Amino acid sequence: MKNIVSKTALVALTLIPNLVLAHDYKIGDLTINHPWTRATAPKASSAAGYLSVTNTGKTDDVLTAATMDGAGHTMLHQTQIEGGVAKMNHLENGITIPAGGTVKLEPGSYHIMAMQLKDGYKAGQSISGTLTFKNAGTVPVSFKVDALGAQSPKAEEEAEHHGHH
Ligand SMILES: [Cu+2]
């Protein structure tokens, strides 16, 4: 009996952060988890969008395009460290989501690059956008705006790098 009680308490505790932070979307065999971006610094003209995609299907899919409200232009990028310098590559062929796999768009790796921002993003906002997959089609999503520098030790380095777009 004692065991059951403590187990229940543990479940309740682990659910609370999920209720607050997580939001997900489904289209076909894909589940898109927690799209987010960061508040932008004053005069910043670009931001990066992050999320994860899980493919429970039997065929690969490809994230071919994405949009984020407030951006004049978006691209799919990959940050790569070359000779100690962070570089961003434009992924013209999109990002493959392998059958049975999960791909994370996260700081220092794949991201949606939102450029030509009109007013920037403020913490607490939700930014509407879309994700387009080769097979599954287009799904509307909402990007939660976290504080400037949130959730990533690389935030500063990336923000600086993005400023050169
Ligand atoms: Cu980028």
Side-chain angles (χ1 to χ4, degrees):
M1 191 60 192
K2 204 180 173 187
N3 261 340
I4 293 168
V5 172
S6 58
K7 210 173 189 179
T8 307
L10 187 64
V11 168
L13 279 175
T14 54
L15 280 177
I16 292 164
N18 286 340
L19 286 173
V20 175
L21 295 171
H23 59 300
D24 57 34
Y25 305 87
K26 290 189 198 314
I27 182 168
D29 293 326
L30 305 177
T31 301
I32 294 102
N33 196 40
H34 195 54
W36 67 283
T37 183
R38 292 193 197 94
T40 50
K43 294 181 185 172
S45 61
S46 65
Y50 307 108
L51 49 91
S52 71
V53 187
T54 298
N55 182 355
T56 56
K58 292 194 161 45
T59 50
D60 295 354
D61 209 335
V62 182
L63 175 62
T64 55
T67 64
M68 290 173 70
D69 276 7
H73 186 54
T74 52
M75 287 173 124
L76 297 173
H77 276 178
Q78 182 178 26
T79 301
Q80 285 182 318
I81 309 295
E82 283 172 29
V85 179
K87 287 184 65 178
M88 292 199 293
N89 297 325
H90 175 207
L91 303 170
E92 287 173 44
N93 299 320
I95 299 168
T96 299
I97 317 295
T102 295
V103 172
K104 288 182 177 176
L105 280 68
E106 58 188 0
S109 180
Y110 295 128
H111 55 274
I112 298 159
M113 190 90 250
M115 290 168 282
Q116 299 165 10
L117 292 180
K118 294 176 192 96
D119 299 315
Y121 298 146
K122 293 177 183 65
Q125 285 183 324
S126 285
I127 307 299
S128 296
T130 60
L131 303 173
T132 298
F133 297 92
K134 193 175 169 189
N135 300 326
T138 298
V139 59
V141 298
S142 178
F143 293 81
K144 294 269 190 294
V145 182
D146 281 345
L148 183 63
Q151 291 186 20
S152 167
K154 290 175 182 156
E156 216 169 328
E157 165 195 273
E158 255 209 345
E160 192 181 309
H161 189 67
H162 286 170
H164 295 298
H165 269 276

